[in-house]
Amino acid sequence: FLDDAKFEPLLDRFERLDMPLYLHPAPPSAALREVLYSGLAPGVAARLATGAWGWHAEAGLHVLRMLATGVFDRHPALKLIVGHCGEMLPFMLARIDAMLRVDSMARAPSEYFRRNIWVTTSGLFSIPPVMCTVQVLGVDRVLFSVDYPFGANSDGRALLDTLPLSPDDKAKIAGGNAERVLGLKRPPGPEPAE
């Protein structure tokens, strides 16, 4: 976990470079697979442990560990990008605010999200989770992303085309927010066609 002291130099470097760190899920350890997924058919266990649930729950827990152990208090300018509409955290953020009040945190969890964390749309290509994320975190915290090879790029594009948001807010999600958080500059010339 990135809250381990051995990662302090890495977090410090990301903070000093003013570049975001992208936290992406990975398959669970053998010990976790044994505890949570033993006794299931191999195909079911594999899917539950990864894209159907486990990746997202574990990546969300990773973010909460970073909050609860004071990572963002020690590194107040650290930027973190989390995929899959925030790994279920926006849906639970009010509950997390109410229940995760610990002395190691100077702020409520939602405050760290507003200051340090951005999320991508990767892999969640239906309107309700994306709109939940936009409503909870604000449109400026959401970045468009596909999830190849786990999801079709065309599904990601279809989501972007059908989001019930203003053209300005869609433009933020489609690329404006990424330009800002990644420090990208558009090349000179005409605006790209929609």
Side-chain angles (χ1 to χ4, degrees):
F1 292 103
L2 289 170
D3 58 88
D4 190 293
K6 70 183 175 188
F7 291 113
E8 282 294 312
L10 176 74
L11 300 176
D12 180 63
R13 179 60 58 96
F14 271 95
E15 184 179 30
R16 285 188 290 119
L17 290 172
D18 192 30
M19 291 305 301
L21 172 64
Y22 193 107
L23 179 66
H24 194 273
S29 67
L32 199 53
R33 275 194 316 270
E34 175 63 27
V35 169
L36 297 177
Y37 307 107
S38 65
L40 296 171
V44 172
R47 285 174 178 83
L48 283 176
T50 59
W53 187 260
W55 275 347
H56 313 295
E58 292 166 26
L61 179 60
H62 198 138
V63 172
L64 293 177
R65 283 182 61 117
M66 293 175 75
L67 298 177
T69 58
V71 165
F72 296 105
D73 292 320
R74 293 189 303 278
H75 302 281
L78 179 64
K79 297 175 184 176
L80 182 69
I81 299 175
V82 183
H84 313 107
C85 283
E87 308 294 8
M88 301 186 280
L89 295 173
F91 179 80
M92 295 290 298
L93 199 52
R95 173 97 170 146
I96 293 165
D97 269 352
M99 302 303 291
L100 190 61
R101 293 296 186 154
V102 293
D103 291 341
S104 57
M105 296 168 53
R107 303 170 183 276
S110 59
E111 293 178 57
Y112 294 106
F113 268 87
R114 286 191 287 276
R115 186 182 77 180
N116 302 93
I117 300 171
W118 287 259
V119 302
T120 75
T121 60
S122 58
L124 291 167
F125 301 141
S126 64
I127 300 295
V130 176
M131 291 309 296
C132 172
T133 303
V134 168
Q135 290 172 339
V136 171
L137 302 181
V139 72
D140 293 331
R141 293 286 176 194
V142 181
L143 313 172
F144 173 74
S145 176
V146 295
D147 199 28
Y148 182 83
F150 302 104
N153 291 352
S154 59
D155 292 345
R157 178 60 204 220
L159 166 78
L160 190 58
D161 290 341
T162 58
L163 276 175
L165 296 171
S166 71
D168 287 344
D169 285 347
K170 276 190 188 183
K172 287 179 180 183
I173 291 173
N177 293 338
E179 289 173 359
R180 186 172 36 83
V181 73
L182 296 171
L184 304 174
K185 295 191 189 292
R186 286 186 184 218
E191 289 291 315
E194 294 215 9

